[in-house]
Amino acid sequence: MSKTAELIIDGKSYVFPLVVGSENEVAVDISQLMEKTGAVTLDLGFKNTGSTKSAITFLDGDKGILRYRGYSIEDLAEKSNFIEVAYLLIFGELPTQEQYIKFSDDIRTHTLVHEDIKKMLDGFPSTAHPMGVLASLFCSQTAFYPESLDPNRANNAVYLSIIRSLAKMPTFAAWAYKNAAGHPVNYPDNKLEFTARFLKMTFALPGQDYEVDPVITEALDKLLILHADHEQNCSTSTVRIVGSSKASIYSSISAGVNALWGPLHGGANQEVIVMLENIKNDGGDTEKWINKAKDKNSGFRLMGFGHRVYKNFDPRAKIIKKAADDVLKKLGVNDPVLEIALKLEEAALKDPYFVERKLYPNVDFYSGIIYRALGIPVEMFTVMFAMGRLPGWIAQWMEMRENKEPIGRPRQIYTGATLRPYKAIGSR
Ligand code: SDX
């Protein structure tokens, strides 16, 4: 393959270098484009634009491949656990037994949050969406750990921020749930491991024993692994661009939580269940809703379907679909919306509209069915996504910082009014 790309503008030829990645992906390096040609590129939604070079996660949209630091998502979901995957994403290698124990214990010792954060929580009405509470509480760490605002901190100080982020996110998530439920909060039981600790903090009720069900813990741990990173998606790009201004890790990740909240992104897992319930309550006529999704004027999309990168299948959806079946059987849960989801997938994958547009179930299509079977309420689904995605956000923020990337500042093509003299219109 040639090492360069040629661009001809107004008959003049410009040559730009090609960048080839470790998986033979090819990019045209246009960092000199404006200087050489005076032109910029235009790519709404950055569908064809690479924002960085990254060694963290590899996706192949045609082959349905997802790897974290070279390890396949299938292997990690089957054989690893969330804390080990978090370590892999953030530090680049699987931890030794000693490193794993230290990392896990460091997280364990930082699960408590300052009591003043509970006062902030009390200020939220129980109607507040848990994602808004989560973003606020997570960002409030900038007030309690002001050293995190120093962009030139030594790496060991950043390590403490990483640990605090991983340790306190589940506490914030559990407290956001308790606030919505109108229940008193629980404090973390540090005798338990990460996922079990979160479940007990979230679901234990005053005066009642709470036995952590290993089936639920294992299923949730697998879901957290599957959500842990996904290269330059909307929320991760948000974390990187906010961090590129040298904003703290806490404010950068809080921005990522807000980006994830959108229904076209992480908020889709909540919308999928709402959609499936609507279809069930409407009599379960999947053909009718498939036709609505095809009708541009309906404003309805098949939530949990389609993906910017995967144009064959989302490998996470495959794993989650199987896990949904297993978990519901193990828990003896019969959820009618699972049948509707299976019918919807089968019908859509035969329909030319979806086939032509390469629309397949994505990570959000089946995840809500498992969350519901685990007893997690629908308004907490995206919070679970944020908890899972946290190690990826941290890893990507660290990589951007270690690579000393410039502040993100895209250009534009102006289409507004050209120069015009000021003339007062109304009376002044
Ligand atoms: C996540 O990027 C990531 O990696 C994200 C994520 C991660 O791990 O971080 O994987 C997590 O966000 C998964 C996606 C969750 N969102 C949804 O399930 C919402 C429903 N899906 C879509 O809105 C859509 O498919 C997106 C947002 C996922 C992708 O949008 P794109 O790439 O911008 O594609 P598009 O909107 O331009 O759609 C292309 C065509 C359009 O039709 P035409 O104009 O070509 O005729 O496909 C149609 C769209 O109308 N289309 C759909 C559809 N998704 C796309 N039509 C009906 N139902 C859908 N779900």
Side-chain angles (χ1 to χ4, degrees), residues 33-188:
L33 176 70
M34 194 157 185
E35 195 176 315
K36 282 185 176 176
T37 72
V40 296
T41 57
L42 187 62
D43 184 19
L44 300 185
F46 308 114
K47 295 189 174 189
N48 305 281
T49 298
S51 59
T52 189
K53 290 189 275 191
S54 177
I56 299 169
T57 291
F58 172 66
L59 307 184
D60 181 313
D62 292 328
K63 297 185 189 131
I65 290 174
L66 167 56
R67 296 189 199 127
Y68 297 158
R69 301 283 189 182
Y71 294 93
S72 78
I73 193 64
E74 293 79 7
D75 258 1
L76 293 170
E78 191 56 41
K79 300 167 189 161
S80 184
N81 69 52
F82 181 60
I83 291 304
E84 184 179 66
V85 166
Y87 187 100
L88 169 68
L89 284 167
I90 295 166
F91 300 107
E93 297 297 336
L94 287 169
T96 61
Q97 183 67 8
E98 191 187 343
Q99 288 168 330
Y100 176 82
I101 290 169
K102 178 180 184 319
F103 186 59
S104 193
D105 284 346
D106 285 348
I107 291 169
R108 194 191 312 276
T109 52
H110 286 274
T111 54
L112 263 182
V113 299
H114 196 290
E115 275 297 296
D116 284 352
I117 293 182
K118 212 149 83 44
K119 291 176 193 152
M120 287 179 60
L121 181 73
D122 294 341
F124 283 98
S126 56
T127 51
H129 193 291
M131 281 296 277
V133 176
L134 186 71
S136 309
L137 298 189
F138 197 91
C139 197
S140 75
Q141 296 179 96
T142 50
F144 295 91
Y145 309 110
E147 69 281 5
S148 66
L149 300 175
D150 171 6
N152 305 312
R153 278 177 300 150
N155 272 345
N156 57 354
V158 180
Y159 176 76
L160 187 50
S161 298
I162 290 172
I163 290 296
R164 281 179 171 141
S165 298
L166 291 165
K168 299 178 194 307
M169 177 68 99
T171 307
F172 294 142
W175 285 16
Y177 167 70
K178 287 302 193 188
N179 181 65
H183 295 170
V185 298
N186 292 317
Y187 287 88

Side-chain angles (χ1 to χ4, degrees), residues 156-221:
N156 57 354
V158 180
Y159 176 76
L160 187 50
S161 298
I162 290 172
I163 290 296
R164 281 179 171 141
S165 298
L166 291 165
K168 299 178 194 307
M169 177 68 99
T171 307
F172 294 142
W175 285 16
Y177 167 70
K178 287 302 193 188
N179 181 65
H183 295 170
V185 298
N186 292 317
Y187 287 88
D189 176 351
N190 286 333
K191 294 190 297 302
L192 297 172
E193 291 310 309
F194 184 89
T195 308
R197 188 163 62 227
F198 165 73
L199 287 166
K200 183 175 180 183
M201 213 173 357
T202 304
F203 295 116
L205 289 168
Q208 293 179 23
D209 287 341
Y210 180 84
E211 275 307 305
V212 180
D213 181 335
V215 172
I216 296 180
T217 307
E218 189 191 331
L220 183 54
D221 203 75

Side-chain angles (χ1 to χ4, degrees), residues 3 10 22 32 54 65 87 157 220 233 262 268-269 328 344 348 374 377 400 406:
K3 297 272 183 279
D10 289 342
S22 56
Q32 304 299 314
S54 177
I65 290 174
Y87 187 100
L220 183 54
N233 58 82
N269 57 17
L328 267 66
L344 211 50
L374 300 184
M400 176 274 304

